[in-house]
Amino acid sequence: MESTFLAVWIIHLFVTVPWEDGLTLNVTYAPVVTLSMEGDHKNHVVYESDDVFLNCDFQANPRVTTVQWYFQGEEISGDPGMGIVISNQTLLLFDIKKERRGLYGCDATNMEGRGRSLDIELKIKYKPECALEQQQTYHATTGEIVEVFCHIAADPPEVTFTWMFNNSKHHRELLSFVSSGTHSIAKVRIEKKEDFGTLTCKAKNLVGIQEEPCRYVLVQVYPPDPVNNCTVINSTKYDLILHCLPGHNGGLHQDFYLEVYDSRDRSLQINITNDTGPVFHLATLSSGREFILLVYSANSKGQSVPVQVIAEMPVATHWKQGPSATSAFRPLLGGVLSFVMLLLLILLCVVIFVHVKRSRRQKGSARSCHTDDSQKSSSKDGASSDPDIIPMHEDSSVTFITSLNILPDQEKAKQQDVSVKSSVAALTTVVNQSPKEVVTSHRNCMKREFLTSASLINHHPRFSGDAKKFNKFLTQNEEELKNFVGELQVIDEVTQASTTV
């Protein structure tokens, strides 16, 4: 017994009495953070208008200096007016609304760093309410069945619906509707004017009854009235404009339509739609034709009675949509016309140039010839005439005499017809000139021209362009022509002309 006590005492001595000195270690680290929810909320599910408490727990060395809260990844701070209060490590959400459902988290910071908790998804159950972006106005006509759609938002989504109809004379519950989930459709038959009014849709779920119902209005509409005061204006060979005034739109937006028919075979030519007004521009109709224009309007409930307008296009008009066929060839036609005009102008210039040159030559020759003849005539007859006012007539029936400049020699002159020489001799006799004088004077004035009876008539002062006088003298001296025989010698232009009889 004593030995056992001694052994225990020895062991106690060794255990309780340290044999060497010890050292305490101080380990620092960033916060380790966890997030929790107070209260009896299974799976973090709460109901709208409940109060929620969230705790941000952490372990850290050294101590934590700041704690920050997050909602949907964004930092949040205390706002009592919005029901948000932050106290130390606790976030309090009072009278919570469904807009506060989502992910919550927190983090803690010390000298070693920052630690972040895992997020908690807060699920909030709420009563039904109207979904956004719904059609709230329905247009209907008498005799129509209207389907009105009601869409609500709720959690849980299992809901039941109630429909009501209300106007100034009636207030009743609708029983004709179908529902599926958060959607419901009511069918309303419009039989008379009293069937137009307001429909309300209301739903409820486990959380409660919808506070504000969804409202839908039934508005009476009808097809538009016909257009009026239609006028065809600005009818040219390029376009035609039909202008009308719109009728009542029936309570809805209306579009305007134009149908163009050929009056001969009633075939459809054009179909145009205008959503701004009953004004139409036509540029594709054939010229010289009559067309029937039918104008009407339409909305979602029907169309108006068409209005008929007769349009008669001008003759020789070719209509084209946009640039016409004639317009397409106008540049080419203009170029061709310009080229032709240029050619005509050049030709006219050439003709004028030749005519002026020829006239100058004839005037020079006439002036020379007339001067010589006038001097001789004035010495014998005591009279003179102005060659510039003598008309240069040419009688195609007068006999050709000879060409003084183209006779090469005396032999060729002898070969000339006797009648030719006789005509010259007779001419010189009646004008009281010797053959030598006539030949010399007319050679000087008709150097490079043919000496014809016509030139003698026009150039010699005794005849002054009078062919009858020449023919008369020629007839009277016919016998004398037979007695005149001579020899005609023509020399070159540079030499003197002489004649030997």
Side-chain angles (χ1 to χ4, degrees):
M1 184 70 176
E2 292 181 357
S3 59
T4 303
F5 178 79
L6 180 61
V8 172
W9 182 84
I10 293 173
I11 293 173
H12 178 72
L13 179 64
F14 279 97
V15 172
T16 57
V17 178
W19 289 91
E20 59 185 31
D21 295 333
L23 181 64
T24 301
L25 297 178
N26 184 21
V27 179
T28 61
Y29 54 93
V32 178
V33 184
T34 58
L35 182 61
S36 62
M37 179 184 295
E38 292 184 1
D40 186 16
H41 299 292
K42 296 180 180 180
N43 299 322
H44 306 142
V45 175
V46 297
Y47 289 91
E48 195 172 29
S49 298
D50 285 351
D51 297 332
V52 177
F53 296 84
L54 298 177
N55 291 321
C56 186
D57 301 319
F58 48 81
Q59 293 180 356
N61 186 23
R63 67 184 183 83
V64 171
T65 56
T66 59
V67 175
Q68 180 64 52
W69 290 90
Y70 298 89
F71 172 63
Q72 295 292 92
E74 300 290 335
E75 293 183 2
I76 59 174
S77 57
D79 186 354
M82 297 293 295
I84 302 174
V85 177
I86 297 177
S87 176
N88 296 327
Q89 301 171 220
T90 304
L91 173 65
L92 294 85
L93 301 174
F94 296 102
D95 191 21
I96 195 168
K97 304 298 181 184
K98 71 178 189 311
E99 290 78 16
R100 286 296 173 183
R101 57 184 174 173
L103 298 176
Y104 288 84
C106 68
D107 64 28
T109 305
N110 64 5
M111 294 181 61
E112 294 296 327
R114 181 169 58 180
R116 177 73 180 265
S117 69
L118 296 177
D119 289 343
I120 289 179
E121 182 180 4
L122 193 60
K123 300 176 183 179
I124 302 176
K125 302 294 184 180
Y126 59 95
K127 295 178 291 187
E129 60 183 26
C130 292
L132 300 177
E133 299 180 356
Q134 297 188 72
Q135 180 180 350
Q136 295 180 323
T137 302
Y138 287 82
H139 301 96
T141 58
T142 303
E144 184 178 358
I145 297 178
V146 182
E147 291 186 346
V148 181
F149 293 82
C150 177
H151 183 201
I152 59 97
D155 190 6
E158 293 76 17
V159 297
T160 57
F161 288 91
T162 301
W163 285 85
M164 299 295 294
F165 173 80
N166 183 39
N167 62 16
S168 59
K169 294 184 178 181
H170 301 283
H171 181 77
R172 66 180 185 271
E173 183 179 357
L174 294 180
L175 301 177
S176 179
F177 65 90
V178 293
S179 302
S180 176
T182 57
H183 294 77
S184 183
I185 303 174
K187 293 185 178 181
V188 181
R189 181 184 296 273
I190 307 296
E191 296 180 349
K192 52 186 179 299
K193 187 175 181 180
E194 288 75 14
D195 292 332
F196 293 95
T198 302
L199 294 178
T200 59
C201 167
K202 205 170 187 180
K204 68 177 180 178
N205 62 4
L206 294 177
V207 179
I209 300 176
Q210 181 176 344
E211 295 180 358
E212 288 294 330
C214 304
R215 300 180 184 276
Y216 309 96
V217 181
L218 296 178
V219 179
Q220 183 179 14
V221 294
Y222 43 85
D225 292 338
V227 298
N228 54 80
N229 293 337
C230 291
T231 308
V232 177
I233 60 175
N234 199 28
S235 179
T236 69
K237 66 178 181 178
Y238 294 109
D239 64 353
L240 179 149
I241 297 177
L242 176 65
H243 185 276
C244 302
L245 296 179
H248 190 273
N249 61 9
L252 298 170
H253 172 76
Q254 61 179 336
D255 295 322
F256 300 90
Y257 301 87
L258 171 64
E259 296 177 1
V260 181
Y261 295 88
D262 193 320
S263 62
R264 296 183 304 178
D265 55 8
R266 303 288 174 168
S267 60
L268 180 63
Q269 303 292 312
I270 303 174
N271 192 352
I272 303 176
T273 303
N274 191 344
D275 60 355
T276 58
V279 179
F280 303 92
H281 182 198
L282 300 177
T284 58
L285 300 180
S286 302
S287 64
R289 301 276 286 277
E290 185 180 79
F291 296 91
I292 301 174
L293 312 180
L294 292 182
V295 190
Y296 61 93
S297 61
N299 58 23
S300 61
K301 295 304 177 181
Q303 71 177 46
S304 68
V305 176
V307 174
Q308 178 176 302
V309 180
I310 302 299
E312 189 170 338
M313 305 307 297
V315 180
T317 302
H318 299 283
W319 299 72
K320 292 291 179 183
Q321 188 78 25
S324 63
T326 304
S327 301
F329 287 100
R330 281 179 182 172
L332 179 60
L333 183 60
V336 172
L337 291 177
S338 300
F339 181 74
V340 172
M341 292 293 291
L342 181 60
L343 288 181
L344 291 177
L345 183 60
I346 295 175
L347 181 60
L348 179 62
C349 292
V350 171
V351 171
I352 293 175
F353 176 78
V354 173
H355 178 71
V356 170
K357 186 174 181 181
R358 185 175 295 174
S359 299
R360 288 179 178 176
R361 272 178 43 189
Q362 291 178 356
K363 285 183 179 180
S365 299
R367 189 178 295 110
S368 165
C369 175
H370 185 69
T371 302
D372 295 342
D373 292 342
S374 298
Q375 290 174 354
K376 294 180 181 181
S377 176
S378 61
S379 62
K380 294 181 180 182
D381 301 330
S384 64
S385 60
D386 188 358
D388 292 334
I389 62 173
I390 297 176
M392 300 295 292
H393 300 293
E394 186 169 2
D395 191 352
S396 60
S397 64
V398 180
T399 306
F400 171 75
I401 304 302
T402 186
S403 175
L404 298 180
N405 292 326
I406 63 174
L407 296 177
D409 49 28
Q410 188 174 358
E411 285 298 324
K412 193 167 184 179
K414 291 180 180 181
Q415 294 177 1
Q416 300 293 329
D417 190 90
V418 176
S419 63
V420 173
K421 296 179 181 180
S422 300
S423 298
V424 174
L427 178 63
T428 57
T429 301
V430 296
V431 296
N432 298 322
Q433 288 180 332
S434 66
K436 182 176 181 179
E437 290 174 339
V438 172
V439 171
T440 302
S441 63
H442 283 283
R443 181 203 179 278
N444 291 336
C445 70
M446 306 294 291
K447 284 185 179 181
R448 296 188 181 275
E449 298 179 3
F450 289 105
L451 181 60
T452 64
S453 59
S455 65
L456 292 174
I457 292 171
N458 291 327
H459 292 275
H460 205 281
R462 286 297 301 270
F463 300 110
S464 301
D466 192 344
K468 291 183 178 180
K469 185 184 293 186
F470 174 81
N471 292 331
K472 181 178 179 181
F473 287 135
L474 192 64
T475 302
Q476 293 175 351
N477 295 274
E478 185 176 1
E479 294 297 328
E480 189 175 354
L481 291 173
K482 298 179 181 179
N483 299 326
F484 190 87
V485 178
E487 182 179 359
L488 180 65
Q489 182 179 4
V490 181
I491 309 174
D492 198 40
E493 284 188 67
V494 247
T495 64
Q496 296 291 331
S498 64
T499 305
T500 305
V501 179

